Amino acid sequence: MKIMRAIMESLGLSPNHLRESIEKGMQLIMINSYPQCSSSTINPVGILSHTDHTIITILAENTPGLEVLQSTDNSWRPALVSKNGLIVLVGDHLELLSNGL
């Protein structure tokens, strides 16, 4: 909720915008672990390129592998990995709410 309040404020909305809906809504926790593989692997394990249908996705990334599409030049770049950090990704619903900001 702290992250959502900060996001709402950054969009010029009330910090409690969507609070009631989010608290009554559904939160989903998924845990995926994919072994690191080289680019020479015939059948690499992973997830195809996609957007997240959520408002935000919070990742605890501890190994390289996640790539992010850069809107400026439409290229895929590796996400920075921080040993004890979290990656917060914008989902489709937040992109709509913010009009793409």
Side-chain angles (χ1 to χ4, degrees):
M1 288 310 297
K2 287 181 182 181
I3 292 171
M4 288 306 301
R5 284 195 300 271
I7 290 170
M8 293 303 114
E9 279 187 290
S10 75
L11 295 174
L13 300 169
S14 161
N16 291 318
H17 187 76
L18 296 181
R19 178 179 173 221
E20 189 174 323
S21 296
I22 292 171
E23 286 178 346
K24 288 182 180 179
M26 181 180 82
Q27 292 80 39
L28 178 65
I29 295 176
M30 291 179 30
I31 298 174
N32 293 309
S33 177
Y34 297 101
Q36 195 171 4
C37 59
S38 70
S39 59
S40 64
T41 304
I42 294 173
N43 293 316
V45 177
I47 297 175
L48 296 174
S49 60
H50 66 279
T51 59
D52 293 344
H53 65 278
T54 58
I55 291 180
I56 59 172
T57 298
I58 301 173
L59 297 175
E61 181 87 3
N62 58 5
T63 60
L66 176 66
E67 293 182 332
V68 180
L69 182 64
Q70 300 297 308
S71 60
T72 53
D73 62 2
N74 212 31
S75 66
W76 289 95
R77 301 216 180 109
L80 298 175
V81 176
S82 176
K83 183 178 179 181
N84 294 311
L86 299 172
I87 298 172
V88 180
L89 301 173
V90 171
D92 296 338
H93 285 93
L94 183 56
E95 186 174 1
L96 290 171
L97 178 66
S98 70
N99 287 323
L101 292 176

